[in-house]
Amino acid sequence: MALAATAALAVATAPPAAAQPAVSAQATTDYTVVVETGASRGAAVAAVIAAGGTVVHENDAVGVLTVKAPATGFAQRVSASPAVLGAAVVTPVGRTPGAGPSNRDMKVVEREHPSLDEAATKAKRTPAAPTAGLDPLDDALWGLKLVRSDLARTKQAGDKRVSVGVLDTGVDGTHPDLAPNFDRARSRNFTVDLPQDETGATVDGPCEFRGCVDPADRDDNGHGTHVAGTIAAAANGFGVSGVAPNVTVVNIRGGQDSGFFFVQPVVDALTYGADIGLDVINMSFYVDPWYLNCTSNPADTPEQQLAQRTTIAAITRALDYAHNKGVTLIAAGGNNHEDLGNPRSDATSPNFPAGSAHPRQIDNLTCIHLPGEANHVLSISSLGPSGNKADYSNYGTEQTDLSAPGGYFRDGFGTDWYRTNENEIRSTYPRNVALAEGAIDADGNITADGLAKGVAKACQGTTCGYYQYLQGTSMAAPHAVGVAALVVSQYGRNDRAHPGTLTLDPDRVERILVKTAAQRPCPTPRTVSYENVGRSAEFTATCVGDPKFNGFYGHGIVDAYAAVTRGGTV
């Protein structure tokens, strides 16, 4: 999208607010309130109080308040103040399972596997002997080799002083392939589990921990742990290794167990990550409940338009803040098989509350896919093992910066590898999630269902780790993030603001990634139909551009070896 990012906010300081009056007895909910650029905090807080709200949390870095207020009427009242840019409900309520596409429903695309019968008849790859510096299960990591991490690690395998933030559903810090690189002390969870919504429908399920806040080394979804493993699973002679196997992983959780990513946790995770000196942040999600946030779409109510403007302001301010603090920001391009420079109508938003989605014609100039299309964010498209764009991957010259392996279950049409798990991305899998999903039994043995999905188990003595295959631009982004972490490791300087760590200007990291990427031209013919692999005509995609830059591959496929050997001349 062509929407301009909101300028960063300089928030005026003011004394703490005086005691605030009690909120009325009517039903209340939490709101994200964005302070207007140039307005004082005190004036914004006064407006909140006058509108019947109570400030419960402040993010001073970007001028965002979390407010508890009446469930109806508050957003319009507080936004009438010149000190307030806008307000949006923090966690929209009423979502029922499977009520419409969202981050929560990413499993529809990401977990495409053969049936039990189909898996039994498929050929299996013959494992190659692991090369020095690779781990036993790396034979299946075609993505690792496509980005040439196997070669890059002979020169640069990553530096512990480089920290990567995983802004996702959590990270299983106890997984034996992640524990060696996991920084428990700096990891944080910015979400609160939502057992169910106000209608009684399940959202995250029962709370496992007091206060409904999971520990910072836990992942009850599995998505974040998979991402973390692709970035930095340790090269320890066990299981798999990541693209940058020696860097440090920090969990900055902003996603619910159920896979939803709401505005406030994402903003708090981004600003926290910037403040502690993270070098790179992976963002494999979009901000719920709007697939595309539009400033004034006529199909939306005034309150919905206000909520989307608020979301755009809050997220772009947080991203700008992180970039200005030295963070390289990389995001998944999205799995909606569309050119985001020429988007289709959106019939999936908002995905909260249930049944509220409505068709919207999308104006490219006033709508944006967040965080992938914001300023300072590198957006990554997804490839299969053939190097071809995956059927599900978003694309377009306006959006795509780089490409990387994300898996493509239906790659290799006409060969034995068509519709096999091995076409996807193997990475770390939390034991608790594998058990809950029926991939393993209570004794830790892989079930028939787990075998059909390609689940693997690796043990050293009594210590075991599990691994699963997934596909998506969510899997492509961490390959690019791993390469970015290697770039900081190779060319970074001592960070005076955070002694004992390295830093590198994110604009230089971007230049190195772009200039060292392996250029790939558009296919011939340029228009690709996926109907032969069972997709509808809606998936048909046309590649525009030249080998240096085009809509399928951006500037090219990220190349770890070129980045660490030639990046110094960029």
Side-chain angles (χ1 to χ4, degrees), residues 159-163 246-248 277 279 489 494 500-503:
D159 192 305
K160 292 290 187 192
R161 295 173 294 173
V162 173
S163 296
N246 287 350
V247 302
T248 297
D279 296 290
S489 297
N494 291 328
T501 69
L502 298 180
T503 188

Side-chain angles (χ1 to χ4, degrees), residues 279 326 328 487-488 491-493 502-509 512:
D279 296 290
T328 297
V487 168
V488 181
Y491 307 109
R493 57 176 174 77
L502 298 180
T503 188
L504 189 64
D505 186 333
D507 291 334
R508 186 177 178 208
V509 175
I512 292 173

Side-chain angles (χ1 to χ4, degrees), residues 30-263:
D30 289 342
Y31 291 84
T32 295
V33 175
V34 178
V35 181
E36 182 62 83
T37 302
S40 72
R41 167 197 171 277
V45 170
V48 167
I49 296 171
T54 302
V55 176
V56 296
H57 172 72
E58 298 185 39
N59 189 319
D60 294 333
V62 290
V64 173
L65 311 175
T66 304
V67 172
K68 187 170 289 295
T72 57
F74 172 78
Q76 292 87 344
R77 289 195 299 272
V78 75
S79 299
S81 167
V84 173
L85 186 149
V89 174
V90 170
T91 307
V93 295
R95 170 79 161 124
T96 54
S102 71
N103 285 288
R104 178 178 188 168
D105 299 315
M106 54 192 152
K107 293 182 181 179
V108 174
V109 169
E110 294 179 351
R111 303 195 178 195
E112 191 176 15
H113 300 293
S115 66
L116 290 173
D117 290 340
E118 191 177 11
T121 62
K122 288 292 183 182
K124 304 298 179 186
R125 280 195 173 90
T126 301
T131 314
L134 295 175
D135 282 350
L137 296 181
D138 285 353
D139 61 280
L141 304 193
W142 57 268
L144 196 74
K145 300 173 181 65
L146 184 58
V147 303
R148 301 208 292 174
S149 168
D150 55 332
L151 298 178
R153 68 185 58 185
T154 63
K155 179 177 179 63
Q156 177 59 261
D159 192 305
K160 292 290 187 192
R161 295 173 294 173
V162 173
S163 296
V164 176
V166 177
L167 203 175
D168 214 287
T169 61
V171 175
D172 177 10
T174 67
H175 193 289
D177 249 334
L178 293 175
N181 293 334
F182 185 71
D183 187 340
R184 174 67 179 80
R186 290 193 295 162
S187 291
R188 297 288 186 274
N189 175 13
F190 294 95
T191 69
V192 177
D193 285 353
L194 304 171
Q196 58 186 25
D197 63 31
E198 63 181 11
T199 70
T202 299
V203 180
D204 293 326
C207 296
E208 303 96 332
F209 299 93
R210 293 175 67 87
C212 291
V213 177
D214 294 339
D217 61 353
R218 180 151 178 116
D219 180 8
D220 286 326
N221 179 288
H223 191 267
T225 296
H226 194 282
V227 164
T230 296
I231 297 168
N236 54 0
F238 180 95
V240 301
S241 63
V243 174
N246 287 350
V247 302
T248 297
V249 172
V250 181
N251 175 27
I252 50 170
R253 177 176 164 180
Q256 304 295 134
D257 288 344
S258 50
F260 290 115
F261 289 76
F262 299 124
V263 176

Side-chain angles (χ1 to χ4, degrees), residues 1-8 270 281 283 311-325 327-331 365 367-379 398-399 401 506-507 510:
M1 308 302 162
L3 185 69
T6 305
L270 283 168
I281 292 179
M283 299 176 290
T311 296
I312 293 168
I315 296 295
T316 54
R317 285 181 184 180
L319 293 167
D320 288 347
Y321 181 83
H323 175 266
N324 292 336
K325 285 261 190 169
V327 182
T328 297
L329 300 162
I330 297 179
L365 295 177
C367 299
I368 186 169
H369 184 261
L370 291 171
E373 291 191 304
N375 286 347
H376 311 307
V377 178
L378 291 171
S379 181
E398 188 176 294
Q399 178 210 29
D401 294 299
D507 291 334
E510 178 179 349

Side-chain angles (χ1 to χ4, degrees), residues 279-446:
D279 296 290
V280 191
I281 292 179
N282 188 100
M283 299 176 290
S284 289
F285 61 89
Y286 71 84
V287 180
D288 291 303
W290 300 90
Y291 169 62
L292 297 167
N293 281 274
C294 303
T295 57
S296 55
N297 194 294
D300 300 329
T301 67
E303 186 174 8
Q304 289 172 333
Q305 293 174 3
L306 176 61
Q308 290 170 81
R309 291 194 295 270
T310 301
T311 296
I312 293 168
I315 296 295
T316 54
R317 285 181 184 180
L319 293 167
D320 288 347
Y321 181 83
H323 175 266
N324 292 336
K325 285 261 190 169
V327 182
T328 297
L329 300 162
I330 297 179
N335 299 337
N336 205 39
H337 57 274
E338 70 177 328
D339 179 352
L340 282 178
N342 185 27
R344 299 189 304 272
S345 61
D346 175 20
T348 68
S349 302
N351 54 43
F352 272 74
S356 63
H358 52 268
R360 304 189 300 161
Q361 295 300 314
I362 299 300
D363 173 22
N364 187 45
L365 295 177
T366 58
C367 299
I368 186 169
H369 184 261
L370 291 171
E373 291 191 304
N375 286 347
H376 311 307
V377 178
L378 291 171
S379 181
I380 313 299
S381 67
S382 180
L383 312 176
S386 67
N388 294 327
K389 185 189 82 69
D391 54 357
Y392 56 79
S393 180
N394 285 347
Y395 59 97
T397 54
E398 188 176 294
Q399 178 210 29
T400 306
D401 294 299
L402 293 160
S403 56
Y408 178 16
F409 178 66
R410 304 181 190 211
D411 206 356
F413 180 73
T415 73
D416 289 340
W417 303 123
Y418 175 60
R419 293 181 62 86
T420 57
N421 293 312
E422 290 85 355
N423 283 340
E424 300 184 340
I425 304 298
R426 173 184 275 176
S427 190
T428 40
Y429 192 16
R431 187 186 191 281
N432 59 302
V433 179
L435 182 61
E437 293 179 343
I440 63 174
D441 61 25
D443 295 324
N445 301 309
I446 301 175

